[in-house]
Amino acid sequence: MNRPSPKDFPAIHSHGFVRVAACTPAVAVGDPAFNAAETLALAKQGHAEACDLMLFPELGLSAYAIDDLFLQDALLEKVEAEIAGLVKASEDLAPVLIVGAPVRATGALYNCAVVISRGRILGLTPKSFLPNYREFYENRWFAPGAGVTDLTVRLSGQEVPFGTDLLFEASDLADFTFAAEICEDVWAPAPPSTRAALAGALILCNLSASNIVVGKADDRELLCASQSMRCQAAYLYSAAGPGESTTDLAWDGQASIHELGKRLAETARFPARAQMAVADIDVERLRLERLRTPTFNNAAVAAGRPEAGFRRIRFEHRPTFEDVGLIRPLDRFPFVPSDPARLDQDCYEAFNIQVQGLTQRLRATKSKHIVIGVSGGLDSTHALLVACKAFDALGKPRSEILGFTMPGFATSEGTKSNAWALMTALGVTGAEIDIRPAANQMLADMGHPFAKGEKVYDVTFENVQAGLRTDYLFRLANQNSGIVLGTGDLSELALGWCTYGVGDQMSHYNVNASLAKSLIQHLIRWVAKTGEVGEAANATLHAILDTEISPELVPADATGAIQSTQAKVGPYELQDFSLFHITRYGLRPSKVAFLAWHAWRDVEAGRWPPNFPQEARHQYDLAEIKAWLKVFLFRFFEISQFKRSAVPNSPKVISGGALSPRGDWRAPSDGKATVWLEELEANVP
């Protein structure tokens, strides 16, 4: 299937999204004409809002709670007439409609999902499992759909596929593949949607009636979230709402959309009128997630390869590739949740994963000391906090942590004083080694122009300093029966922004290697807020958070401006965004650019993480995003892998956040970035 041209870049259909709606129309008891009209009204609204797929409740054309009226021929004939009317009306509507109706077939009555698209009934999926306990009596009226396959019935003048073996697939929009099940089906130990997912369905749709009792909404949420997670799918759920009979039951109209365990949208409960939840499903990401998870495909094999037992019903969807915006929660910082409670939980877990990893390494090595370089920057600050907590957990005095500040040619008084204040406040043993004499000697021995008084600040000049610092730390560890604690982070590893070998790329153990730069600042704020290592250092921690990110290896220029890391390798907030989506999901660069454009183009749109400084909030246009993404692709795929192939041990902390060759990311050290750069140039305007 050919991809659209760059002029279609703003369209969601260019990037593997399908817009879906879970609908709760108003209903009248036993009045198919009214119900069909309400369904059509929402369908037209969904058409206007560029929906591709719209899900309606179980038995919505007849109403659900009508008891023995299901066995009245007049009502069933009227339902079928209204289905025909909806099919005719759908000729002018873009969305695929999935509506619920009682349908007569093979001499029995079935509770069915009727799938309609552009004047055609694509198929009928009957409910597999009929509840017949407590308030439910469906066996009284309906035949079970379990085991019904390979049938065709006649409805509204069309020959229609009928059975629980139907997958629906757009012929002209990649990955738009879905299947339906009905209410009780998802409550069963083995939901039909599981088998449909193993057969290839990426969107699972549940038409439900589901009366409400106290606590049931939480049960539904749990089922929908877990089914979308387990099946690596999207799960749409639509429950009956206003107008259903309240003879003995009540209805709350709960509708939701989940993707990979996360809720993307939901409706208000107990609505007074019709409503719908709308979200854009990333079906391409779902396909890629299954591709990179052998367990999913092994499960399909173990289940007897269900795809062989399903009929694929292909239909022409006719996507327009227009710019209709993007409707889905999208984090600017994929490593940093914007929800305060979630961020607090993530920080707690991340910090304690690091502490647990380090305490085990200290036990295993029987090391008396930790040796760490303390620069006054974010990374070494956080690593030192982890070291303090680890020593606390082991009952060891913090004074046995040996912290060294090692000023070089460009070290500022601000960072050095912060380093000293931090070590003093935390109660570690601090010392200072001025590396300039040794660096001068090495540069002179090499015949470097700087040793002759020339202002040559090349990569050799920088790496002499970085290498000497690491060399000192290793020798100090030898001298003190200790281990060198690494401080470099995930973002630096991704970009190759570290000195290989005898440099900050190497250590005995690194607690930060799975932490993105954009997360570390929030972890430091969390440590300060919670008092994990005491509160004496809090003022210094906030001062460090306010400091410009710099390696401080090159002296300030004539204007006093210091060396800026982000001016060289790009804003970490953008590069972390690219890192997450490329390594975690394998997305194309053009799609990463599309997502970044929506996440970062308007500083006022969307949510920011809690306590994120107002002055640090930025926005980027597409040209900036593309330019920095190009830098990321070149550095990540072409010039940095050899450094990652030799990284020291480090605990994995966050999903999509490990580049160890023993873990998440294995790649050739001599690879090329050509494919990714060409894709970016070809598809991003």
Side-chain angles (χ1 to χ4, degrees), residues 90-163:
S90 74
E91 293 176 356
D92 299 319
L93 300 175
V96 177
L97 309 178
I98 307 179
V99 299
V103 176
R104 295 174 291 190
T106 65
L109 184 64
Y110 290 90
N111 180 344
C112 286
V114 185
V115 183
I116 301 169
S117 175
R118 297 190 183 275
R120 174 185 165 201
I121 302 177
L122 300 181
L124 296 170
T125 299
K127 187 173 185 176
S128 291
F129 301 108
L130 303 177
N132 219 67
Y133 54 88
R134 294 195 293 271
E135 64 264 43
F136 302 111
Y137 292 90
E138 289 190 33
N139 279 338
R140 183 180 175 96
W141 312 298
F142 300 110
V148 176
T149 60
D150 296 315
L151 296 181
T152 300
V153 299
R154 189 159 185 82
L155 182 64
S156 300
Q158 301 182 21
E159 295 297 318
V160 180
F162 174 63

Side-chain angles (χ1 to χ4, degrees), residues 24 211-214 217 220 240-242 250-254 267-273 275:
T24 303
N211 64 295
I212 186 62
V213 294
V214 172
R220 296 186 196 126
W251 316 86
D252 67 336
Q254 184 177 17
T267 57
R269 295 176 59 212
F270 302 103
R273 59 187 62 84
Q275 57 179 358

Side-chain angles (χ1 to χ4, degrees), residues 45-69:
Q45 181 183 337
H47 173 84
E49 296 182 19
C51 291
D52 298 295
L53 176 67
M54 301 184 71
L55 175 70
F56 293 85
E58 174 185 17
L59 296 170
L61 292 186
S62 60
Y64 177 84
I66 62 173
D67 298 330
D68 288 352
L69 300 187

Side-chain angles (χ1 to χ4, degrees), residues 172-257:
D172 51 358
L173 186 59
D175 302 321
F176 184 12
T177 309
F178 63 92
E181 65 183 4
I182 302 174
C183 199
E184 184 77 5
D185 290 347
V186 77
W187 297 76
S193 57
T194 300
R195 195 165 180 83
L198 292 172
L202 292 166
I203 303 174
L204 309 174
C205 305
N206 188 308
L207 307 82
S208 184
S210 194
N211 64 295
I212 186 62
V213 294
V214 172
K216 191 174 183 179
D218 291 338
D219 294 341
R220 296 186 196 126
E221 169 72 16
L222 179 62
L223 284 168
C224 294
S226 61
Q227 190 67 352
S228 72
M229 188 73 176
R230 180 179 295 107
C231 293
Q232 296 185 333
Y235 199 87
L236 279 59
Y237 183 89
S238 177
E244 275 287 359
S245 172
T246 57
T247 300
D248 291 300
L249 303 171
W251 316 86
D252 67 336
Q254 184 177 17
S256 63
I257 300 168

Side-chain angles (χ1 to χ4, degrees), residues 3 9 11-18 174-175 259 280-288 326 328 330 577-578 581-582 585-599 622 625 629 633 676 679-680 683-685:
R3 295 220 172 263
F9 175 82
I12 60 171
H13 290 142
S14 298
H15 302 284
F17 291 97
V18 171
D175 302 321
E259 179 184 309
D280 293 333
I281 297 296
D282 193 343
V283 287
E284 182 179 76
R285 182 178 77 139
L286 294 172
R287 173 178 55 79
L288 289 169
L326 181 67
R328 66 184 275 123
L330 186 58
F577 188 94
S578 299
H581 289 285
I582 287 173
Y585 295 113
L587 302 187
R588 292 170 286 112
S590 60
K591 182 166 183 173
V592 176
F594 173 81
L595 293 172
W597 180 52
H598 277 280
L622 185 57
I625 289 167
L629 182 51
L633 296 172
W676 292 268
E679 199 281 336
L680 180 72
N683 296 313
V684 180

